[in-house]
Amino acid sequence: MKKAFFFGFAPWKDYLPRWFFDRRCVAVSRKRWVILCEAWPLRILLARRAEVYVWGFKYPPFLKTFCKLFRIPFRHVEDGFVRSVSLGAYGSAPASLTVDSRTPYFDATKPSDLEVILSTYDFAGDDLLMQRAERGMDLLMKNRISKYNLGVAANIPALYGHKDRKRVLVIGQVETDASIRLGCDRAMTNNDLVRFAAQENPDAQVIYKPHPEVLHGTRAGVSDPADVADICVILREDIAPADAFETIDHVYTITSLMGFEALLRGKRVTCFGLPFYAGWGLTDDRQTNPRRRRKLTIGEIFAASYLLYPRYFDPATGAPSSFEATIKRLHDLQNANPSTDDALPSKNASPHSRD
């Protein structure tokens, strides 16, 4: 059995034997002094058939160089695109993970495993996959599932008012997150995005949806929404993404996954950064990438990112699962008593956000 060393997984260390049941799992601190003082590089080198897994970029830079030098497999792990009912900052375990041998999917500076799939996979030759993708997109939207699913149902006419003109939704993100730093080639805040949306759509109603973790106080924002309150309607509560998209004509985002969820609903999407779904001919892109030359359909991007790329788990047991079973379970949790395990905070929790 291979021995796997995990760095940066402190909140989820008890889950590792469930998620990686075919590995001997060893959780290691991500602190540089601990790694060096306890001689973890040497331990990894001496272990038979060793592998290294890191949570995002929560590891000292020398570790990846060390693994490359000694040909030790190195994997980046992140939350998948269908995560949980509650936020990661509240300690809810992810129902899906992405495991990437190159770089996290949100790093647009270099190709990830997901980008390689999108660039090379023979979607036209895989009828069963594409049929499953069509059913999967319907299932996702029918059950109103997003990455996080704690947003409250909303009375959209009351929030947005009577619609008498074009309506633009601006998706806020955690501005200090690596998904913006590595996914956008310019310094940009949520307020900048709101101003671009208002400037480019002078006759439209602009609605700004701050990120759930900012609204819930688990992550700090950089820009103050009050500074753009004169040019937009600010949503002060965390409403469900499916509700937020109602009556919307155009969506603006930097790199948020909600941009892809908007594409699934037939909305026009403008991206100022380069999320995994941009650059394939479906979005209005303000950042280009010469690597992404292929034209893809929404079904092909869904098939790659939701079916081929992630691993799914039963949130309660950690047992391997499927996309379809995960959607059903999250839907059931969403409609169950809020005292379910998925909604309980954990003292060991730390925030993980990518949108």
mmCIF file of all heavy atoms in Angstrom, residues 57-86:
data_model
loop_
_atom_site.group_PDB
_atom_site.id
_atom_site.type_symbol
_atom_site.label_atom_id
_atom_site.label_comp_id
_atom_site.label_asym_id
_atom_site.label_seq_id
_atom_site.Cartn_x
_atom_site.Cartn_y
_atom_site.Cartn_z
ATOM 1 N N PHE A 57 -2.290 25.757 -1.783
ATOM 2 C CA PHE A 57 -0.895 26.198 -1.706
ATOM 3 C C PHE A 57 -0.431 26.282 -0.257
ATOM 4 O O PHE A 57 0.489 27.044 0.069
ATOM 5 C CB PHE A 57 -0.745 27.555 -2.397
ATOM 6 C CG PHE A 57 -0.839 27.467 -3.891
ATOM 7 C CD1 PHE A 57 -2.038 27.724 -4.540
ATOM 8 C CD2 PHE A 57 0.262 27.105 -4.646
ATOM 9 C CE1 PHE A 57 -2.143 27.625 -5.924
ATOM 10 C CE2 PHE A 57 0.173 27.004 -6.032
ATOM 11 C CZ PHE A 57 -1.034 27.260 -6.672
ATOM 12 N N LYS A 58 -1.023 25.480 0.594
ATOM 13 C CA LYS A 58 -0.659 25.493 2.017
ATOM 14 C C LYS A 58 0.521 24.561 2.263
ATOM 15 O O LYS A 58 0.399 23.526 2.923
ATOM 16 C CB LYS A 58 -1.867 25.122 2.871
ATOM 17 C CG LYS A 58 -3.003 26.139 2.794
ATOM 18 C CD LYS A 58 -4.163 25.742 3.675
ATOM 19 C CE LYS A 58 -5.299 26.752 3.568
ATOM 20 N NZ LYS A 58 -4.929 28.078 4.046
ATOM 21 N N TYR A 59 1.665 24.921 1.710
ATOM 22 C CA TYR A 59 2.881 24.144 1.882
ATOM 23 C C TYR A 59 4.078 25.044 1.559
ATOM 24 O O TYR A 59 3.936 26.004 0.795
ATOM 25 C CB TYR A 59 2.891 22.923 0.954
ATOM 26 C CG TYR A 59 2.912 23.271 -0.516
ATOM 27 C CD1 TYR A 59 4.119 23.360 -1.215
ATOM 28 C CD2 TYR A 59 1.734 23.530 -1.218
ATOM 29 C CE1 TYR A 59 4.150 23.699 -2.559
ATOM 30 C CE2 TYR A 59 1.759 23.874 -2.561
ATOM 31 C CZ TYR A 59 2.966 23.956 -3.221
ATOM 32 O OH TYR A 59 2.999 24.301 -4.549
ATOM 33 N N PRO A 60 5.228 24.790 2.126
ATOM 34 C CA PRO A 60 6.412 25.599 1.787
ATOM 35 C C PRO A 60 6.851 25.312 0.363
ATOM 36 O O PRO A 60 6.833 24.159 -0.081
ATOM 37 C CB PRO A 60 7.462 25.136 2.802
ATOM 38 C CG PRO A 60 7.005 23.790 3.248
ATOM 39 C CD PRO A 60 5.505 23.806 3.182
ATOM 40 N N PRO A 61 7.268 26.318 -0.397
ATOM 41 C CA PRO A 61 7.604 26.134 -1.812
ATOM 42 C C PRO A 61 8.659 25.068 -2.071
ATOM 43 O O PRO A 61 8.625 24.405 -3.110
ATOM 44 C CB PRO A 61 8.098 27.523 -2.229
ATOM 45 C CG PRO A 61 7.422 28.468 -1.289
ATOM 46 C CD PRO A 61 7.329 27.735 0.017
ATOM 47 N N PHE A 62 9.598 24.885 -1.133
ATOM 48 C CA PHE A 62 10.664 23.917 -1.391
ATOM 49 C C PHE A 62 10.134 22.489 -1.497
ATOM 50 O O PHE A 62 10.780 21.622 -2.086
ATOM 51 C CB PHE A 62 11.741 23.994 -0.307
ATOM 52 C CG PHE A 62 11.349 23.369 1.010
ATOM 53 C CD1 PHE A 62 11.440 21.995 1.200
ATOM 54 C CD2 PHE A 62 10.912 24.161 2.064
ATOM 55 C CE1 PHE A 62 11.087 21.420 2.422
ATOM 56 C CE2 PHE A 62 10.553 23.594 3.275
ATOM 57 C CZ PHE A 62 10.636 22.218 3.449
ATOM 58 N N LEU A 63 8.942 22.241 -0.927
ATOM 59 C CA LEU A 63 8.432 20.874 -0.886
ATOM 60 C C LEU A 63 8.146 20.336 -2.288
ATOM 61 O O LEU A 63 8.484 19.187 -2.610
ATOM 62 C CB LEU A 63 7.162 20.824 -0.026
ATOM 63 C CG LEU A 63 6.578 19.437 0.218
ATOM 64 C CD1 LEU A 63 7.561 18.543 0.964
ATOM 65 C CD2 LEU A 63 5.265 19.555 0.993
ATOM 66 N N LYS A 64 7.539 21.162 -3.136
ATOM 67 C CA LYS A 64 7.237 20.701 -4.500
ATOM 68 C C LYS A 64 8.527 20.500 -5.292
ATOM 69 O O LYS A 64 8.650 19.538 -6.068
ATOM 70 C CB LYS A 64 6.322 21.699 -5.208
ATOM 71 C CG LYS A 64 5.778 21.184 -6.535
ATOM 72 C CD LYS A 64 4.669 22.094 -7.072
ATOM 73 C CE LYS A 64 4.004 21.480 -8.295
ATOM 74 N NZ LYS A 64 2.872 22.298 -8.785
ATOM 75 N N THR A 65 9.484 21.394 -5.099
ATOM 76 C CA THR A 65 10.776 21.250 -5.775
ATOM 77 C C THR A 65 11.483 19.965 -5.329
ATOM 78 O O THR A 65 12.047 19.227 -6.156
ATOM 79 C CB THR A 65 11.671 22.467 -5.475
ATOM 80 O OG1 THR A 65 10.986 23.655 -5.881
ATOM 81 C CG2 THR A 65 12.995 22.362 -6.200
ATOM 82 N N PHE A 66 11.417 19.700 -4.030
ATOM 83 C CA PHE A 66 12.016 18.482 -3.482
ATOM 84 C C PHE A 66 11.381 17.236 -4.105
ATOM 85 O O PHE A 66 12.083 16.313 -4.538
ATOM 86 C CB PHE A 66 11.836 18.478 -1.961
ATOM 87 C CG PHE A 66 12.215 17.186 -1.290
ATOM 88 C CD1 PHE A 66 13.536 16.932 -0.953
ATOM 89 C CD2 PHE A 66 11.247 16.239 -0.999
ATOM 90 C CE1 PHE A 66 13.884 15.737 -0.332
ATOM 91 C CE2 PHE A 66 11.591 15.041 -0.383
ATOM 92 C CZ PHE A 66 12.912 14.789 -0.042
ATOM 93 N N CYS A 67 10.059 17.218 -4.187
ATOM 94 C CA CYS A 67 9.363 16.053 -4.744
ATOM 95 C C CYS A 67 9.689 15.871 -6.225
ATOM 96 O O CYS A 67 9.875 14.742 -6.699
ATOM 97 C CB CYS A 67 7.865 16.194 -4.537
ATOM 98 S SG CYS A 67 7.361 16.005 -2.809
ATOM 99 N N LYS A 68 9.763 16.975 -6.938
ATOM 100 C CA LYS A 68 10.106 16.884 -8.353
ATOM 101 C C LYS A 68 11.522 16.344 -8.537
ATOM 102 O O LYS A 68 11.783 15.510 -9.417
ATOM 103 C CB LYS A 68 9.972 18.263 -9.007
ATOM 104 C CG LYS A 68 10.219 18.261 -10.509
ATOM 105 C CD LYS A 68 9.986 19.647 -11.104
ATOM 106 C CE LYS A 68 10.205 19.632 -12.613
ATOM 107 N NZ LYS A 68 9.988 20.986 -13.207
ATOM 108 N N LEU A 69 12.449 16.791 -7.689
ATOM 109 C CA LEU A 69 13.841 16.365 -7.779
ATOM 110 C C LEU A 69 13.978 14.854 -7.579
ATOM 111 O O LEU A 69 14.739 14.184 -8.282
ATOM 112 C CB LEU A 69 14.674 17.123 -6.738
ATOM 113 C CG LEU A 69 16.163 16.778 -6.665
ATOM 114 C CD1 LEU A 69 16.859 17.164 -7.973
ATOM 115 C CD2 LEU A 69 16.814 17.509 -5.488
ATOM 116 N N PHE A 70 13.192 14.319 -6.628
ATOM 117 C CA PHE A 70 13.290 12.896 -6.312
ATOM 118 C C PHE A 70 12.148 12.071 -6.908
ATOM 119 O O PHE A 70 11.922 10.933 -6.521
ATOM 120 C CB PHE A 70 13.352 12.707 -4.790
ATOM 121 C CG PHE A 70 14.629 13.190 -4.183
ATOM 122 C CD1 PHE A 70 14.697 14.438 -3.564
ATOM 123 C CD2 PHE A 70 15.779 12.428 -4.249
ATOM 124 C CE1 PHE A 70 15.891 14.901 -3.013
ATOM 125 C CE2 PHE A 70 16.974 12.873 -3.701
ATOM 126 C CZ PHE A 70 17.029 14.116 -3.083
ATOM 127 N N ARG A 71 11.418 12.680 -7.855
ATOM 128 C CA ARG A 71 10.360 11.994 -8.597
ATOM 129 C C ARG A 71 9.300 11.386 -7.673
ATOM 130 O O ARG A 71 8.852 10.254 -7.859
ATOM 131 C CB ARG A 71 10.959 10.924 -9.509
ATOM 132 C CG ARG A 71 11.908 11.493 -10.556
ATOM 133 C CD ARG A 71 12.429 10.426 -11.487
ATOM 134 N NE ARG A 71 13.337 11.000 -12.481
ATOM 135 C CZ ARG A 71 13.950 10.294 -13.430
ATOM 136 N NH1 ARG A 71 13.765 8.983 -13.478
ATOM 137 N NH2 ARG A 71 14.746 10.890 -14.293
ATOM 138 N N ILE A 72 8.935 12.164 -6.687
ATOM 139 C CA ILE A 72 7.879 11.750 -5.760
ATOM 140 C C ILE A 72 6.572 12.387 -6.225
ATOM 141 O O ILE A 72 6.503 13.613 -6.392
ATOM 142 C CB ILE A 72 8.214 12.210 -4.325
ATOM 143 C CG1 ILE A 72 9.508 11.543 -3.855
ATOM 144 C CG2 ILE A 72 7.061 11.879 -3.369
ATOM 145 C CD1 ILE A 72 10.070 12.138 -2.586
ATOM 146 N N PRO A 73 5.515 11.619 -6.490
ATOM 147 C CA PRO A 73 4.251 12.187 -6.952
ATOM 148 C C PRO A 73 3.740 13.270 -5.998
ATOM 149 O O PRO A 73 3.737 13.083 -4.771
ATOM 150 C CB PRO A 73 3.312 10.974 -6.984
ATOM 151 C CG PRO A 73 4.222 9.802 -7.186
ATOM 152 C CD PRO A 73 5.476 10.134 -6.423
ATOM 153 N N PHE A 74 3.317 14.386 -6.575
ATOM 154 C CA PHE A 74 2.885 15.562 -5.805
ATOM 155 C C PHE A 74 1.511 15.971 -6.324
ATOM 156 O O PHE A 74 1.338 16.183 -7.520
ATOM 157 C CB PHE A 74 3.909 16.683 -5.998
ATOM 158 C CG PHE A 74 3.715 17.874 -5.116
ATOM 159 C CD1 PHE A 74 4.404 18.001 -3.926
ATOM 160 C CD2 PHE A 74 2.846 18.898 -5.487
ATOM 161 C CE1 PHE A 74 4.246 19.118 -3.119
ATOM 162 C CE2 PHE A 74 2.672 20.016 -4.695
ATOM 163 C CZ PHE A 74 3.381 20.127 -3.491
ATOM 164 N N ARG A 75 0.532 16.105 -5.432
ATOM 165 C CA ARG A 75 -0.841 16.380 -5.848
ATOM 166 C C ARG A 75 -1.412 17.582 -5.080
ATOM 167 O O ARG A 75 -1.240 17.689 -3.866
ATOM 168 C CB ARG A 75 -1.738 15.169 -5.587
ATOM 169 C CG ARG A 75 -1.232 13.854 -6.196
ATOM 170 C CD ARG A 75 -1.544 13.790 -7.679
ATOM 171 N NE ARG A 75 -1.199 12.488 -8.235
ATOM 172 C CZ ARG A 75 -0.059 12.202 -8.841
ATOM 173 N NH1 ARG A 75 0.856 13.143 -8.968
ATOM 174 N NH2 ARG A 75 0.171 10.998 -9.334
ATOM 175 N N HIS A 76 -2.096 18.455 -5.803
ATOM 176 C CA HIS A 76 -2.822 19.576 -5.190
ATOM 177 C C HIS A 76 -4.279 19.160 -4.974
ATOM 178 O O HIS A 76 -4.938 18.696 -5.913
ATOM 179 C CB HIS A 76 -2.794 20.800 -6.102
ATOM 180 C CG HIS A 76 -1.441 21.393 -6.291
ATOM 181 N ND1 HIS A 76 -0.955 22.396 -5.488
ATOM 182 C CD2 HIS A 76 -0.462 21.121 -7.202
ATOM 183 C CE1 HIS A 76 0.257 22.731 -5.896
ATOM 184 N NE2 HIS A 76 0.584 21.976 -6.929
ATOM 185 N N VAL A 77 -4.789 19.352 -3.764
ATOM 186 C CA VAL A 77 -6.167 18.993 -3.433
ATOM 187 C C VAL A 77 -6.955 20.255 -3.121
ATOM 188 O O VAL A 77 -6.459 21.162 -2.455
ATOM 189 C CB VAL A 77 -6.214 18.023 -2.235
ATOM 190 C CG1 VAL A 77 -7.652 17.608 -1.920
ATOM 191 C CG2 VAL A 77 -5.349 16.787 -2.510
ATOM 192 N N GLU A 78 -8.180 20.294 -3.620
ATOM 193 C CA GLU A 78 -9.076 21.424 -3.396
ATOM 194 C C GLU A 78 -10.504 20.916 -3.254
ATOM 195 O O GLU A 78 -10.810 19.778 -3.630
ATOM 196 C CB GLU A 78 -9.026 22.405 -4.585
ATOM 197 C CG GLU A 78 -7.853 23.354 -4.570
ATOM 198 C CD GLU A 78 -7.956 24.398 -3.490
ATOM 199 O OE1 GLU A 78 -9.088 24.665 -3.005
ATOM 200 O OE2 GLU A 78 -6.921 24.951 -3.110
ATOM 201 N N ASP A 79 -11.374 21.788 -2.747
ATOM 202 C CA ASP A 79 -12.804 21.492 -2.780
ATOM 203 C C ASP A 79 -13.255 21.310 -4.220
ATOM 204 O O ASP A 79 -12.775 22.006 -5.125
ATOM 205 C CB ASP A 79 -13.613 22.647 -2.171
ATOM 206 C CG ASP A 79 -13.434 22.755 -0.673
ATOM 207 O OD1 ASP A 79 -13.200 21.727 -0.020
ATOM 208 O OD2 ASP A 79 -13.555 23.889 -0.155
ATOM 209 N N GLY A 80 -14.218 20.409 -4.431
ATOM 210 C CA GLY A 80 -14.837 20.277 -5.736
ATOM 211 C C GLY A 80 -15.873 21.360 -5.965
ATOM 212 O O GLY A 80 -16.076 22.263 -5.135
ATOM 213 N N PHE A 81 -16.573 21.272 -7.080
ATOM 214 C CA PHE A 81 -17.515 22.317 -7.483
ATOM 215 C C PHE A 81 -18.900 22.125 -6.886
ATOM 216 O O PHE A 81 -19.760 22.997 -7.018
ATOM 217 C CB PHE A 81 -17.588 22.379 -9.013
ATOM 218 C CG PHE A 81 -16.241 22.581 -9.650
ATOM 219 C CD1 PHE A 81 -15.750 21.700 -10.594
ATOM 220 C CD2 PHE A 81 -15.441 23.645 -9.270
ATOM 221 C CE1 PHE A 81 -14.504 21.875 -11.168
ATOM 222 C CE2 PHE A 81 -14.186 23.843 -9.829
ATOM 223 C CZ PHE A 81 -13.715 22.949 -10.783
ATOM 224 N N VAL A 82 -19.133 20.997 -6.254
ATOM 225 C CA VAL A 82 -20.334 20.763 -5.453
ATOM 226 C C VAL A 82 -19.804 20.380 -4.080
ATOM 227 O O VAL A 82 -19.264 19.291 -3.903
ATOM 228 C CB VAL A 82 -21.207 19.635 -6.038
ATOM 229 C CG1 VAL A 82 -22.363 19.336 -5.109
ATOM 230 C CG2 VAL A 82 -21.713 20.021 -7.422
ATOM 231 N N ARG A 83 -19.931 21.260 -3.114
ATOM 232 C CA ARG A 83 -19.178 21.068 -1.878
ATOM 233 C C ARG A 83 -19.985 20.615 -0.675
ATOM 234 O O ARG A 83 -19.724 19.582 -0.076
ATOM 235 C CB ARG A 83 -18.456 22.364 -1.505
ATOM 236 C CG ARG A 83 -17.442 22.141 -0.415
ATOM 237 C CD ARG A 83 -17.007 23.405 0.297
ATOM 238 N NE ARG A 83 -15.965 23.100 1.258
ATOM 239 C CZ ARG A 83 -16.202 22.578 2.450
ATOM 240 N NH1 ARG A 83 -17.440 22.311 2.836
ATOM 241 N NH2 ARG A 83 -15.198 22.307 3.270
ATOM 242 N N SER A 84 -20.971 21.423 -0.257
ATOM 243 C CA SER A 84 -21.642 21.160 1.012
ATOM 244 C C SER A 84 -22.871 22.046 1.136
ATOM 245 O O SER A 84 -23.111 22.937 0.317
ATOM 246 C CB SER A 84 -20.685 21.431 2.188
ATOM 247 O OG SER A 84 -20.147 22.737 2.090
ATOM 248 N N VAL A 85 -23.640 21.799 2.197
ATOM 249 C CA VAL A 85 -24.764 22.677 2.506
ATOM 250 C C VAL A 85 -24.246 23.916 3.219
ATOM 251 O O VAL A 85 -24.644 25.035 2.928
ATOM 252 C CB VAL A 85 -25.815 21.942 3.365
ATOM 253 C CG1 VAL A 85 -26.875 22.911 3.893
ATOM 254 C CG2 VAL A 85 -26.494 20.853 2.542
ATOM 255 N N SER A 86 -23.326 23.729 4.139
ATOM 256 C CA SER A 86 -22.764 24.833 4.897
ATOM 257 C C SER A 86 -21.413 25.241 4.302
ATOM 258 O O SER A 86 -20.955 24.666 3.322
ATOM 259 C CB SER A 86 -22.619 24.433 6.365
ATOM 260 O OG SER A 86 -22.244 25.544 7.153
#
